[in-house]
Amino acid sequence: MHPSDRKYSKTHEWVKIEGKEGRVGISHHAQDHLGDIVFVELPEIGKQVKKGEQLCVVESVKAVADCYAPVSGKVVKVNDKLVDKPELLNQDPHGEAWIAVVEVADPGETTDLLDGAAYDKFCEEESGH
């Protein structure tokens, strides 16, 4: 079950809107499929991102995966803890292991993202269950 206090993209990122900012991370489903995460290339503070464009790179023992921005805006904060402890993404993907905070350019962009229940259903369908 994915938390219902945030929105999810079909590329498995989440965003939790807090005022004008959106805290961004990858879902439990994504980290579970990646396996043991060994490296995270964080975005630079001040980087402008557009919804659907690459935000950062996550490397696991299985694969290297791009993480996409679920909303457009400016990166105003990154989670430096992930530099030394990338495994936090496996341990607490919806809590302590957020990746970045984006100053959201258009709050209306979240309307086509999935809520927790819809995302759970999407993951089940994608996994063929």
Side-chain angles (χ1 to χ4, degrees):
M1 294 302 235
H2 291 87
S4 60
D5 62 349
R6 58 201 76 201
K7 298 281 196 164
Y8 300 86
S9 69
K10 290 185 176 179
T11 52
H12 305 291
E13 293 82 18
W14 56 260
V15 60
K16 182 175 181 182
I17 301 295
E18 299 164 327
K20 294 181 178 181
E21 297 178 339
R23 188 172 299 262
V24 175
I26 64 170
S27 71
H28 170 76
H29 178 83
Q31 69 78 26
D32 191 46
H33 278 72
L34 284 168
D36 294 336
I37 294 172
V38 295
F39 179 76
V40 180
E41 182 182 313
L42 295 169
E44 288 185 26
I45 292 177
K47 178 180 179 177
Q48 292 286 338
V49 293
K50 288 191 176 179
K51 182 178 180 175
E53 289 184 353
Q54 183 195 49
L55 176 67
C56 69
V57 175
V58 176
E59 186 175 335
S60 73
V61 293
K62 290 183 182 176
V64 175
D66 288 335
C67 173
Y68 302 101
V71 290
S72 300
K74 183 170 110 180
V75 175
V76 293
K77 195 172 180 183
V78 295
N79 189 351
D80 291 329
K81 287 182 186 176
L82 297 177
V83 173
D84 294 329
K85 297 182 82 178
E87 67 273 15
L88 280 176
L89 280 170
N90 294 115
Q91 297 164 357
D92 192 12
H94 297 125
E96 197 177 345
W98 55 274
I99 293 172
V101 174
V102 175
E103 190 176 273
V104 179
D106 179 7
E109 283 185 339
T110 61
T111 57
D112 64 339
L113 297 174
L114 305 172
D115 64 19
Y119 181 70
D120 286 341
K121 186 175 178 184
F122 173 76
C123 291
E124 286 176 22
E125 290 170 0
E126 192 179 70
S127 300
H129 296 225

